[in-house]
Amino acid sequence: MDKRRDVRGLRRLLPWAALAVVVGGSISWIGRPGDFAGYVLVGDLALSGQDIYRDSPAGLNTWPPFFSLLCVPLALLARPTPYLARGVWLGLNFVLLWTALKSLVRLVYHAELRLRPTTGCMSLAAPGVLVPIILCYRFILGNFDHLQVNIVIFACAVGGLYWHARARELRAGALLGLVAALKVWPVLFVPYFVYRGRWRIAAATAAAAAAFSLSPALIYGWTRFVDYVGAWRHALAVGWGVGKMNQSAYAMLDRAIGHGMRPGNAPVLDVLPDSGDPHVRAAWLAVLAALTVATCWLFRGREAADSPASLAEYSVVFIVSALFGPLTWKAYLVVLLCPCMLLVALVRRGHLTAGVRRVIATALATYFVLTGLTTPGILGKRLAGTLEMLSVTTFATLILLLVLLWVRPRLSMEPSGSVR
């Protein structure tokens, strides 16, 4: 009885604790320019008719032209005071994070999410919700800490998958196409949908992405828009280097192969140029090719869009899109909320064998320990930086990717809505 009373007390307390984090964190975050300063600058350049690429500091604007349209209202909000724009941005991110969690709970558990427990609904304190948040806390907080756009992208992508699972393909395609125009990585869902024979959602996403991507031509004119596309591609070609903050698979391979870094000789460098070693690109392409073959082999059979098997496939797409581009800031890995919630649900369910559940639980625990090692203050700045140079976060994410691929065949023929 006392244990049940303690659990009920925790569930009543958690919403207030979440509110304290939101209020306390916002007081700190609203004072930091972060990446948001770049968004406001691009919006100001667009409003004043200046060149959004050439008139911005070198290496700042690496976003596609459509992104500048999102920046315009942010720049307008910042004109009275930047705190107003940051406050609105933080509020929008909190709302969209909650929306993403609700969509994930609907997809994974086929239930509604509430702050407090009610009959037939899950609460924020439910282990199936709270544990994935804890597993991804660093990546969630990183987005608020730097006022980045990744929660917006992720929430819209998850919303698109939710509407796809409800056979609302136009609505789903519009959301996925919108975020693909803002930040390219969600476009990876298009070849995935094509491979799975889901032609309507593939066409709707591709059409929406093309429409949104071309829409800046209506504002800037066709000539300037074409020039902006060229300037954007040039900005991407310059690259971001492979310093410790870049946790992409390519940066991991370049640090190991191109720069020859090993546990005993890894310097802590924020800025490290690409080595240019052709073996790095060859290794990266080989890994990507092997991964593509593996996913094509494993992603077989007709599966419902909201089945556990499909959710595992969406999770793989999220991880590959975040990890196998040229740049992966840790904040990009907020997408791990999807695979973490699915894997936690699989550990807690009774349909899989005890052995399979133990493997998943071990993978989650290993991932959590590895990502936690780089938390400031745990091991010290120097050691944490060394672990980042050794790509510990990349390895942790690859563990989740491998366990998803391993468990995917075991989810075939499971009924939709069976993850409880």
Side-chain angles (χ1 to χ4, degrees):
M1 184 66 70
D2 290 339
K3 187 175 181 180
R4 290 182 180 178
R5 188 181 298 114
D6 291 342
V7 171
R8 288 197 296 269
L10 175 63
R11 289 178 176 176
R12 286 194 296 268
L13 179 63
L14 192 61
W16 294 104
L19 179 62
V21 171
V22 168
V23 174
S26 296
I27 293 172
S28 173
W29 297 323
I30 202 170
R32 303 178 186 181
D35 287 13
F36 191 77
Y39 306 161
V40 172
L41 175 61
V42 170
D44 279 330
L45 291 174
L47 285 169
S48 63
Q50 294 177 268
D51 193 304
I52 61 174
Y53 292 99
R54 295 177 180 84
D55 291 331
S56 61
L60 173 69
N61 189 0
T62 56
W63 306 296
F66 180 67
F67 193 92
S68 67
L69 302 186
L70 170 69
C71 297
V72 167
L74 300 178
L76 290 172
L77 285 170
R79 288 193 169 178
T81 169
Y83 295 102
L84 173 61
R86 294 175 201 163
V88 171
W89 184 250
L90 285 169
L92 175 65
N93 275 264
F94 282 123
V95 169
L96 288 177
L97 177 60
W98 178 250
T99 301
L101 289 170
K102 287 175 69 72
S103 296
L104 285 173
V105 168
R106 289 169 178 167
L107 283 168
V108 175
Y109 297 104
H110 290 252
E112 291 297 320
L113 177 64
R114 300 284 185 267
L115 280 174
R116 293 181 177 275
T118 57
T119 303
C121 297
M122 298 185 70
S123 74
L124 195 62
V129 179
L130 183 59
V131 172
I133 293 173
I134 294 172
L135 290 171
C136 299
Y137 81 97
R138 283 213 66 196
F139 312 130
I140 297 171
L141 293 181
N143 279 279
F144 289 108
D145 207 24
H146 300 285
L147 283 77
Q148 290 193 337
V149 74
N150 302 293
I151 289 176
V152 176
I153 304 297
F154 175 63
C156 291
V158 172
L161 294 174
Y162 169 75
W163 288 117
H164 169 52
R166 297 297 177 270
R168 303 290 184 86
E169 309 296 19
L170 291 179
R171 188 178 301 184
L175 275 174
L176 288 167
L178 171 67
V179 291
L182 287 172
K183 204 165 188 177
V184 178
W185 67 257
V187 80
L188 190 61
F189 278 100
V190 173
Y192 162 73
F193 289 138
V194 170
Y195 175 73
R196 296 304 269 140
R198 300 174 186 175
W199 306 108
R200 291 184 63 192
I201 182 64
T205 302
F212 284 120
S213 296
L214 292 171
S215 64
L218 301 175
I219 307 297
Y220 299 123
W222 185 253
T223 300
R224 189 166 217 187
F225 171 72
V226 172
D227 182 60
Y228 278 171
V229 171
W232 171 55
R233 293 181 61 185
H234 175 73
L236 294 179
V238 171
W240 294 267
V242 293
K244 69 181 180 68
M245 302 305 291
N246 187 352
Q247 290 294 305
S248 69
Y250 183 88
M252 174 188 72
L253 292 169
D254 197 14
R255 288 192 289 262
I257 299 173
H259 292 281
M261 292 186 185
R262 301 293 183 269
N265 70 339
V268 179
L269 300 172
D270 287 327
V271 179
L272 180 65
D274 188 321
S275 69
D277 188 332
H279 295 94
V280 176
R281 185 169 182 81
W284 179 80
L285 289 173
V287 172
L288 196 56
L291 186 58
T292 301
V293 171
T295 54
C296 289
W297 173 257
L298 295 169
F299 292 5
R300 293 179 296 168
R302 296 182 62 84
E303 304 286 351
D306 61 348
S307 67
S310 289
L311 295 178
E313 294 176 6
Y314 303 154
S315 297
V316 169
V317 175
F318 271 129
I319 292 176
V320 171
S321 63
L323 208 60
F324 282 85
L327 177 69
T328 303
W329 301 136
K330 286 190 286 291
Y332 290 11
L333 298 177
V334 69
V335 299
L336 297 183
L337 263 173
C338 180
C340 283
M341 188 172 290
L342 173 65
L343 291 173
V344 167
L346 293 176
V347 169
R348 302 179 68 239
R349 66 183 297 186
H351 294 76
L352 294 176
T353 66
V356 172
R357 296 203 304 274
R358 278 196 298 269
V359 171
I360 298 173
T362 301
L364 286 171
T366 304
Y367 149 84
F368 183 63
V369 170
L370 289 176
T371 56
L373 290 176
T374 59
T375 303
I378 298 291
L379 298 177
K381 187 175 181 180
R382 173 73 185 183
L383 184 52
T386 300
L387 291 173
E388 288 182 327
M389 291 299 288
L390 296 173
S391 307
V392 66
T393 302
T394 313
F395 282 116
T397 307
L398 288 173
I399 288 172
L400 292 188
L401 177 61
L402 291 175
V403 79
L404 283 164
L405 293 173
W406 175 77
V407 80
R408 165 60 185 83
R410 293 162 173 81
L411 301 178
S412 293
M413 308 307 295
E414 292 282 356
S416 63
S418 63
V419 182
R420 298 287 184 184

